[in-house]
Amino acid sequence: MVVSLILILLIIIFMAFFIGLNLSNVCTFWFFKTYTDLPVAVLALIAFGAGIIFTLLFILVAKMKAPATDSQSRAARKAERKASVEEKLRLAKEKQAQKEAKKIKERKQEEPADNS
């Protein structure tokens, strides 16, 4: 935690130093209006912010469309797992019933031999 805080502070100091040394570099930017003498570092920060905003918009749109298919696939996988578990339990019960039936059959066969 402390290491990450120190790392973030170092990055911020580096960015401030970089921006401070490049304030003399200016350019012209057009976005429905011409902006003159705009520092390049400010333009880079604006572009970075716009990238974050567009990324968030795309993620939100994708999440609004995706949940139906995701929840359906999750529900289908859950149903498959439940069916698999139920099938295993059914097979185990059948095996147990067969063993018990075999034991009962063996006992019945032994009883007449004992009575004779």
Side-chain angles (χ1 to χ4, degrees), residues 19-81:
I19 290 170
L21 289 178
N22 287 305
L23 283 177
S24 61
N25 295 335
V26 293
C27 64
T28 303
F29 177 67
W30 181 87
F31 186 70
F32 301 109
K33 179 184 171 187
T34 302
Y35 300 94
T36 56
D37 297 333
L38 186 67
V40 175
V42 172
L43 187 61
L45 290 174
I46 291 170
F48 183 73
I52 290 172
I53 290 169
F54 279 106
T55 302
L56 289 174
L57 287 174
F58 283 124
I59 289 172
L60 290 175
V61 168
K63 288 217 180 234
M64 286 190 314
K65 289 182 180 180
T69 57
D70 285 347
S71 63
Q72 288 173 353
S73 64
R74 273 188 255 125
R77 281 195 304 262
K78 188 176 179 180
E80 286 174 9
R81 279 182 277 180

Side-chain angles (χ1 to χ4, degrees), residues 1-15:
M1 178 86 149
V2 174
V3 175
S4 62
L5 181 63
I6 292 171
L7 185 63
I8 290 171
L9 287 174
L10 288 175
I11 291 171
I12 290 173
I13 291 170
F14 173 75
M15 286 177 57

Side-chain angles (χ1 to χ4, degrees), residues 94-110:
E94 281 182 8
K95 236 182 200 182
Q96 185 67 26
Q98 287 175 353
K99 284 182 183 178
E100 299 219 0
K102 188 177 179 182
K103 285 181 182 178
I104 291 171
K105 197 183 246 186
E106 288 175 358
R107 285 184 196 154
K108 285 184 180 179
Q109 287 177 353
E110 290 175 6

